Amino acid sequence: EYIGLCALGDYDKAPPSESMWKFAIALTQELIDAFSITNAHVIGHREVYTMLGVPQEKSCPGRFWSTQDFRTDLAKLSK
């Protein structure tokens, strides 16, 4: 089973707004808590290609959206 979240925008052109980032962090944390998900299981769309062993077709969520920074901010919130 999977839960997918979509942050609308072209994050190859510009980073997400601070409010979008904070909302996405808060919503993800709520889902982590509700479904006992670990931060290690929070992945970006483009990371799915690597997990499946197939060539990356998209840059989602975009070069200005760092999934590693997202996981780091989640870890700070859960402390």
Side-chain angles (χ1 to χ4, degrees), residues 24-49:
I25 292 287
L27 179 57
T28 302
Q29 188 61 54
E30 288 292 326
L31 293 168
I32 284 172
D33 294 342
F35 294 99
S36 300
I37 301 168
T38 65
N39 283 8
H41 285 97
V42 174
I43 61 171
H45 188 200
R46 68 175 162 252
E47 294 173 310
V48 173
Y49 297 104

Side-chain angles (χ1 to χ4, degrees), residues 3 5-8 11 16-34 37-39 42-44 61 64-79:
I3 299 171
L5 300 177
C6 179
L8 297 178
Y11 303 115
S17 67
E18 183 177 348
S19 62
M20 170 65 85
W21 187 264
K22 287 181 178 181
F23 179 80
I25 292 287
L27 179 57
T28 302
Q29 188 61 54
E30 288 292 326
L31 293 168
I32 284 172
D33 294 342
I37 301 168
T38 65
N39 283 8
V42 174
I43 61 171
F64 288 106
W65 184 296
S66 169
T67 306
Q68 184 56 48
D69 289 348
F70 193 81
R71 284 189 287 261
T72 298
D73 286 356
L74 276 173
K76 290 176 189 174
L77 189 63
S78 63
K79 288 184 178 180

